[in-house]
DNA sequence: AGCCAGGTTTAAT
DNA sequence: ATTAAACATGGC
């Protein structure tokens, strides 16, 4: 598995991710919502603020290649010193270069008639990840039980209130709030953004543990799926769905399957069953043939069924 | 207006 | 070991 190569020329450089990579489709997910801070995707450019050596830096990413020969142009504001370029490489690796072998997944997908069509149609689609597991976990908590639209609206307000900003071309761009800030936030203030009391408490307590280093979320990357899920579910407010969702969407764990997910249950049922609501066990049974890619298979199927209006062949 | 939406915890049986 | 209630907002 080759790590993406990054060529450095001060504030602008290229990344060469593994192929195939459809940047527009993958990063473009963020552009489907009116506002899904801290992520902004407009006119083919992905924009967000990342922390490098604790400093907020605006990063602009755009495709300069193709799905088969991916090449991403990266632009930074303000300038970076050399050691920050290294840190940025790590973050962009995490976010865009989910290091797994797409060809292997696609060859698994051929075993199934529908999945063959889906994977051909969506070739190069990756689940883009947040830069940190902390962010992925907070995202998952905000999305518990309520609709995606509601969660994204609430999360955007959380980011506007607590995230660091970089001004650029007369606009504010945001970083996801860092743990120490959310650790100090008042639960009542967080609730005013639309979080339930419990979710505000969960996020606040989680942030305190991460900020104090009592909890090392990034250390989860070294663990296998099962162990990471066991660790995550020790955290208050984190059940099976939240842990599994964090792995697939935030850690590139393509076999992690949040089988309790209503959207996945709906998608699997429509594609392989009667369309009626099905159980998590049914979901696992149906997707088992795509193991060790069951999570990414579910992601592809959901995207295909619910996110492509112009679906035809 | 009312119900459901990419669940989890606590408190009951 | 299983079941019920409470929870917050946005969309239809």
């Amino acid at each position: 598995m080759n790590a993406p190569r990054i060529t450095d020329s001060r504030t602008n450089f290229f990344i060469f991710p593994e192929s195939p990579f459809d940047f527009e489709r993958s990063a473009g997910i963020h552009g489907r919502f009116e506002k899904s801070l801290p992520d902004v995707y407009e006119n083919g450019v992905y924009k967000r603020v990342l922390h490098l050596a604790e400093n907020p830096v605006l990063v602009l990413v755009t495709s300069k290649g193709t799905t088969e020969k991916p090449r991403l142009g990266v632009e930074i504001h303000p300038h970076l010193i050399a050691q920050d370029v290294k840190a940025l490489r790590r973050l962009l690796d995490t976010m865009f270069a989910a290091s797994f072998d797409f060809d292997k997944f696609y060859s698994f997908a051929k075993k199934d008639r529908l999945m063959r069509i889906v994977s051909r149609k969506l070739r190069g689609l990756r689940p883009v990840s947040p830069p940190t597991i902390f962010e992925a976990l907070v995202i998952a908590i905000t999305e518990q039980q309520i609709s995606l639209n509601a969660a994204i609206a609430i999360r955007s307000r959380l980011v506007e209130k607590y995230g660091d900003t970089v001004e650029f071309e007369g606009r504010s761009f945001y970083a996801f709030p860092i743990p120490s800030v959310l650790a100090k936030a008042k639960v009542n203030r967080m609730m005013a953004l639309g979080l339930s009391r419990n979710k505000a408490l969960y996020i606040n307590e989680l942030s305190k543990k991460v900020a104090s280093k009592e909890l090392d979320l990034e250390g989860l990357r070294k663990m296998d799926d099962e162990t990471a899920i066991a660790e995550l579910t020790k955290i208050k407010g984190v059940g099976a769905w939240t842990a599994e969702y964090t792995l697939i969407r935030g850690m590139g764990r393509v076999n992690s399957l949040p089988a309790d997910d209503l959207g996945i249950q709906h998608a699997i049922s429509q594609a392989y069953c009667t369309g009626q609501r099905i159980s998590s066990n049914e979901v696992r049974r149906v997707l088992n043939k795509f193991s060790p890619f069951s999570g990414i298979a579910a992601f592809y199927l959901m995207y295909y069924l619910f996110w492509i209006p112009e679906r035809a062949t």
Side-chain angles (χ1 to χ4, degrees), chain A residues 211-228:
Chain A
S212 71
K213 314 237 187 217
E214 177 187 338
L215 183 61
D216 172 26
L217 288 177
E218 292 303 317
L220 295 172
R221 294 191 197 275
K222 297 196 292 273
M223 303 175 188
D224 61 33
D225 291 2
E226 205 178 323
T227 312

Side-chain angles (χ1 to χ4, degrees), chain A residues 15 71 98 105 109 117 123 151 203 206 232 266 282:
Chain A
I15 304 178
R71 182 171 68 135
F105 165 54
I117 296 169
R123 182 174 170 80
I203 293 170
L206 169 69
L232 281 169
H266 193 195
E282 264 315 85

Side-chain angles (χ1 to χ4, degrees), chain A residues 81-201:
Chain A
I81 59 176
Q83 72 194 62
D84 287 345
V85 171
K86 209 169 170 183
L88 180 56
R89 168 193 294 139
R90 273 202 307 277
L91 291 181
L92 292 174
D93 280 5
T94 299
M95 297 170 69
F96 293 125
S99 54
F100 88 101
D101 190 342
F102 267 92
D103 290 335
K104 200 164 176 191
F105 165 54
Y106 292 144
S107 68
F108 263 71
K110 287 185 191 144
K111 295 194 297 193
D112 180 90
R113 180 182 147 69
L114 174 60
M115 197 61 73
R116 184 173 61 235
I117 296 169
V118 170
S119 63
R120 182 184 304 177
K121 172 88 180 163
L122 297 180
R123 182 174 170 80
L125 172 67
R126 298 184 187 205
V128 294
S129 300
T132 65
I133 296 176
F134 174 73
E135 179 174 337
L137 193 44
V138 174
I139 287 172
I141 290 171
T142 62
E143 289 178 8
Q144 288 169 0
Q145 172 58 20
I146 59 177
S147 68
L148 259 187
N149 281 322
I152 288 173
I154 292 166
R155 204 159 65 230
S156 291
R157 296 198 284 269
L158 186 78
V159 169
E160 284 175 321
K161 185 163 178 59
Y162 297 108
D164 288 328
T165 59
V166 171
E167 304 300 317
F168 180 65
E169 292 179 343
R171 294 166 62 190
S172 293
F173 291 89
Y174 294 88
F176 195 81
I178 58 175
S180 59
V181 169
L182 290 179
K184 281 181 278 196
K186 292 287 175 224
V187 169
N188 285 342
R189 297 296 189 121
M190 296 172 74
M191 288 180 67
L193 307 172
L195 291 166
S196 67
R197 173 172 298 280
N198 274 344
K199 286 186 191 175
L201 281 168

Side-chain angles (χ1 to χ4, degrees), chain A residues 11-69:
Chain A
T11 63
N12 297 295
F13 54 89
F14 291 115
I15 304 178
F16 298 88
E18 291 171 47
S19 170
F21 183 17
D22 184 341
F23 175 79
E24 272 98 1
R25 178 122 55 198
S26 301
I29 286 179
H30 296 121
R32 291 175 171 271
F33 303 93
E34 208 175 291
K35 190 197 276 189
S36 63
L37 299 179
D39 300 294
V40 176
Y41 181 85
E42 48 193 20
N43 305 319
V45 187
Y46 174 65
K47 315 172 182 180
R48 73 165 282 166
V49 177
L50 298 171
H51 283 103
L52 298 171
E54 317 213 332
N55 297 313
V57 178
L58 175 62
V59 181
L60 310 179
V61 185
T62 183
S63 175
K64 304 285 192 189
T66 65
T67 296
E68 300 309 319
K69 295 241 184 249

